[in-house]
Amino acid sequence: MVSLGERRPPPGDLASLSELDEASLLGGLRERFLRQQVYTDIGDILVAMNPFQPLPLYGREVSEQYRHPQRGTLPPHIFAVASRAYHAMLGHRGGGPRSQCIVISGESGAGKTESTKLLLQHIMNLCKGNSQLEQQILQVNPLLEAFGNAQTVMNDNSSRFGKYIQLRFQKNTVRGAKLSEYLLEKSRVVQQDTGERNFHIFYYMFAGLSSEEKEMYGLLDPSLYRYISGRFGTQDVAQRWKQKYQEVCNALDMVGFQEQEQVDMQAILAGVLSLGNVTFEPEERNGSVKVSEASRGWLKAAAGQFGVQEDELLKCLICTMSVTRGEQIQRFHTQQQAEDARDSIAKVAYGRVFGWIVCKINELLAENVDPEVELSEIGILDIFGFENFAVNRFEQLCINLANEQLQHFFNYHIFQMEQAAYKEEELPWETITFNNNEPILNLLLAKPLGLLSLLDEQSAFPQATDKTLVDKLNSSFKGNLHFQPGRGRVLGFSIIHYAGKVQYTAGGFLEKNRDTLPANVRGLFINSITPLLSLLFTATISRTGTLMPHVKAKIIPGADDKFNSTRKQSAGAQFRHSLMMLMERMYSANPHFVRCIKPNSQKEPGVVDSQVVLLQLRYNGLLETIRIRRDGFSWRPLFEEFAERYGILLVKPHVSLTKESCLEILQSTDLTGWICGKSRLFFKYWHQEQLAKYVERLERAAVFIQKVFRGFRCRKSYLKLVAELRAQAQRLQEEAERERSRQLAVEAEAQKRISLPVPMPRKRRPQPCTHSPEKSPQPPVPRPRSKLTESTPFDNFLDPSAPRPVLGTEEQTREEVKMRKCKRGATIRWFKETQAKKVMQDDGAFPDWLHGMISRREAENLLIDKPLGCFLVRISQSRPGYTLTYRGEGRCRHYMIEMQPNARYVILGEDRAHASLTELVRYHQTVGIQPFMEILTVPCGQKSSESLDYEDLECLRLGPPEAEGEAPPEEQPCPSRPSPSRPALQSGATTVLRHVWFRRNKNCQKEESLDKSRTKPSSGKEIGGQRAFPRLHSSICLAMQEIQQFSSAALNTSVRNGCQALSIEDVEPK
């Protein structure tokens, strides 16, 4: 075994290799991988090898190092790609602000999904603002993974859909996000191959739901369900799934899904599983089919979970209704047609739930800015990798088509554009050949004779079969180098893709492309009493297959009679349109490439299979990529662009945008290796960073000049203000001296006129002088203050024309006091109407840690002598919400608690939402608050009898005091007054609050008792103190009882038959 420490480590940038061949490329990647250096550069392209194990490369310290990475100073990293894209979007890398896109490609299991999460994590860290939006965006990935990822033979967390995340920025702050999804593999809901599983969310639900919640949704033992193949995981796997389910629920809360929406969504998923257990058997009388006796309960359960009538759902499964010449005709299904109808309903229901989740995410994360404001964008593409299974179906064809498009996009930017520029500018260049996959794209996408066009043509004929499709393809593509007819009895064909030959099984191609939905199903679900399901089928479907819930589909009379009336476009046509729109977005942005490599097929850490890696290097064209990055010029700006951006390096005004100016700029630098063409300059990939350093040096000089000038202006303004204050103090002192002299003179004159002894008036003491006459008054010393306080004479005003605030005017003070009162009153009303009952404990008292509407300074004074970790929660004075004040080491920290529209509490910057304020406090008594991981220890109570914490709260009245014969308000003890009967204020305040918040009128009591009588047993999720349930909860419970009774009866029958058989054996003669 060779000791890697004795050899010179391979370079981090493969474009600097001295020998360029497959062996040196493979050896360099292998050695770096075995050193746990999983990232390698090829110029500005990143190669990422999946380590199949967690590595200490992604912590906060590492992320901080890559905020402003410079080439050569730090090793290659996925964070460096995110930083390059972010700074290029802001215009910091040699050009103006421009939208960017990051393209992550590779085969299934190469680590594309994890790379996407790391890119998002670092970009959110770069644009970190005081907003919850960053955390909401980060929660999108675990949510989509649960509903859109599944275990396959090649990957335990394979993306069964494609996604393009668009992050929208205003300057350097993220303002919103939009998600586009492509081709969810809905067939996985009803069928999985050997060694594969259904979508993660089904297993998460079984592992994460409590027994009471399973009963609520109508879920039994997972081994009973056909759609998950009756298989579940081990105890360790189930525990991991349980944790994943909690993460999904938290992500739903964080993004902003309402409680009832989450309950309805899980009820629909349970309905999909129950529907899969419905089986059919032939009817002897008329040749039709009926639901088997064993699955009657499953049909009833599915109807209850969907919120529809059982008999109506049954009609959709076993027959088709049509109207011919005004006469209604009922056509009964065969057993195969009934099973196809059942599976179609399950697939379309799950697909629309997934589409609704994506649409809801876009709605909740949409940017809230002026439409006229221009936003920059960073797009991240995470799409399914190239797949070649033992059995490849319609989904694999679409997936591999998408990968062909991405490979063409890569070839166009890396090879075609660059070499075309050399030819146009007449530069000496030896053409680099590459694997051009444009003929394969023509084979698949050409009109009218491409494969997808022929598939649509065959799908339009009701009599067409998969065999007629294959015959059509064989005759149309006879002689095409990239198409091979199927051999033997296999009904299929093969395509020579850029990544190799893939054999496709044609069975089911037409059915999946038609994407049929049984007649009357849409009308059935539109009339569902579950609002979510009704919304999903009322919505229309766009040309790209995207669900649009807010756009109602036009209902044409008689349209339901058609078998495929709900979709005019085939699945293949929708995918082609969505792919075309994706390419348009990507071609309009500046691309960054991440090529993911899978080191071995066994998913083992620390193992490199040379053949597996070499095959990926070949079809990705990485050898040719290294050659063009080493010898070529990846940055090719026009003369005008370059002079406009870097004219500042000449340090002179009015630089002309000409070739001569560009040459003058370059001669003022130390750059070498560039070439000047006829209309543009040609640079190596590292030149951009070198020029950026020159610009940064000038920017630092400009900032230093600004700092000195501003300091001069501020000192001048400060001295002027100090002189005015001294003059004002001098005038006041002189006026006080004159007034005292006048009073003495008046007293002396009065004494002279006294003739009779009369009582002398009491002498008025002169006002004490604020300044000693011997000592000149000194200007007040400015003290540190919060940025939120109003302006003072010591603020610096750089713009002399800007209006300065006039302090102390009566009108302004009155307005401020009025505004403060309005905000305070609004917050009190918010607390009274929405929070009081939630915060109160079971005994009617508030928790010790809750304080009233106190200020930041008052909270710090309460905690100043408390131990480390002491905390309190106070009601905000200026907004509806709370602030958590924590006694840290040497200082107090204030964490803003935000209440989301779905009634969840979140500490700003945290990644976890909580159902109540009490739950939030309990959670952070065991888990630290980010980023300092501070744990709450001791709650801070009231300090003294002079505390005014509850002055506002105790004046609240939720009902007239006379309603329950209470004492009038003035008879209630006030905690703000000193009282000898209150030795312990904390218990006294609690008593007062208990009295205050239990003041209810009789109507309120009646409403509460009525609500309690309607409330179901307590477990699961609650809305405002009341649980959310599926709409037909009682029907679901009855169905579950029926299923269990039938199972018990079947078990008893089998046991009885077994006993009878044993007794017969006993009586038989030996």
Side-chain angles (χ1 to χ4, degrees), residues 120 124 128 131-143 167 174-177 250-257 361 363-366 898-902 904 906 908-913:
L120 277 174
M124 290 301 102
K128 195 70 175 175
S131 167
Q132 197 61 22
L133 181 60
E134 292 93 346
Q135 285 297 336
Q136 289 177 313
I137 292 173
L138 291 176
Q139 292 298 321
V140 167
N141 257 316
L143 184 56
L167 304 174
V174 64
R175 291 297 186 184
N250 180 64
L252 289 167
D253 289 337
M254 285 288 294
V255 176
F257 286 78
I361 288 172
E363 178 186 328
L364 293 169
L365 301 186
E898 189 176 83
M899 188 173 181
Q900 300 190 149
N902 60 350
R904 290 292 181 264
V906 182
L908 206 62
E910 280 284 317
D911 58 358
R912 186 177 179 89

Side-chain angles (χ1 to χ4, degrees), residues 970-1005:
E970 56 269 19
E971 295 180 10
Q972 294 292 339
C974 179
S976 61
R977 296 179 198 153
S979 172
S981 61
R982 279 182 47 180
L985 180 75
Q986 187 168 344
S987 60
T990 304
T991 306
V992 170
L993 290 170
R994 187 181 297 114
H995 288 311
V996 169
W997 293 108
F998 272 155
R999 289 169 182 157
R1000 305 283 191 272
N1001 56 28
K1002 294 181 180 179
N1003 293 333
C1004 290
Q1005 286 185 341

Side-chain angles (χ1 to χ4, degrees), residues 304-323:
Q305 288 154 340
F306 287 142
V308 298
Q309 295 294 326
E310 180 184 353
D311 55 345
E312 294 294 329
L313 180 58
L314 178 61
K315 285 181 184 178
C316 293
L317 294 172
I318 65 172
C319 66
T320 301
M321 302 294 296
S322 62
V323 178

Side-chain angles (χ1 to χ4, degrees), residues 912-931:
R912 186 177 179 89
H914 304 272
S916 67
L917 201 59
T918 305
E919 182 184 312
L920 182 147
V921 170
R922 286 175 183 165
Y923 176 78
H924 287 294
Q925 285 177 332
T926 56
V927 179
I929 305 173
Q930 297 177 1

Side-chain angles (χ1 to χ4, degrees), residues 639-652:
F639 292 146
E640 294 81 3
E641 295 174 358
F642 185 82
E644 185 177 5
R645 170 60 179 160
Y646 295 103
I648 189 176
L649 296 180
L650 295 179
V651 197
K652 67 179 183 179

Side-chain angles (χ1 to χ4, degrees), residues 479 484 531 628 754:
Q484 292 181 1
I628 199 169
I754 294 175

Side-chain angles (χ1 to χ4, degrees), residues 77-94:
H77 203 286
I78 190 76
F79 288 167
V81 177
S83 292
R84 283 201 296 268
Y86 179 73
H87 292 297
M89 182 265 300
L90 296 176
H92 295 167
R93 291 181 54 82

